[in-house]
Amino acid sequence: MKKNIEELIEEGLKSEPVFQLKADFRDRVVRMIKKKEQKAQRRFYLLITAGVVLLLGAGAGILQYFGGAGSLSGYDQFIPYAVMFGGLVVLVQYLDKKLVKDKFFKQLA
């Protein structure tokens, strides 16, 4: 039984397939991969933004709860650093997309 299956597989591999791929098959596959990558990238940016907002909100709430009424007044100096850090995260993601992923997709096409 096992030999019959192996012989059928070998015969199938020796013969030419009965179907042909369309001429634009590779372009359609690359387009689908790009769409999925863009969707994942948008989801990632949304999650990063939501995480930063929730983290800042939780931090402010904890400081307000445990520190009293004037506890947030001294943290104004950290806002530029938080904005700079968020900008660096977005910049790294943008450069990754432009320098790495776009070149990869061009090689596929």
Side-chain angles (χ1 to χ4, degrees), residues 22-94:
K22 294 182 180 179
D24 65 337
F25 177 76
R26 186 181 349 166
D27 295 333
R28 287 186 299 139
V29 170
V30 170
R31 214 173 314 126
M32 269 197 315
I33 292 172
K34 281 184 181 180
K35 283 182 183 179
K36 286 185 180 185
E37 186 64 33
Q38 287 173 349
K39 186 177 179 181
Q41 195 75 20
R42 275 190 235 118
R43 187 180 311 127
F44 178 74
Y45 283 135
L46 179 67
L47 289 175
I48 288 288
T49 304
V52 168
V53 168
L54 289 174
L55 186 63
L56 290 175
I62 289 171
L63 286 173
Q64 225 24 35
Y65 182 76
F66 290 113
S71 63
L72 291 179
S73 62
Y75 292 98
D76 293 341
Q77 61 189 353
F78 294 114
I79 291 175
Y81 296 117
V83 170
M84 186 174 68
F85 180 72
L88 284 175
V89 168
V90 171
L91 178 67
V92 166
Q93 289 298 316
Y94 176 76

Side-chain angles (χ1 to χ4, degrees), residues 7-21:
E7 289 175 5
L8 286 173
I9 291 173
E10 286 181 24
E11 288 295 321
L13 291 175
K14 287 179 185 176
S15 64
E16 198 65 29
V18 294
F19 62 90
Q20 293 291 328
L21 295 175

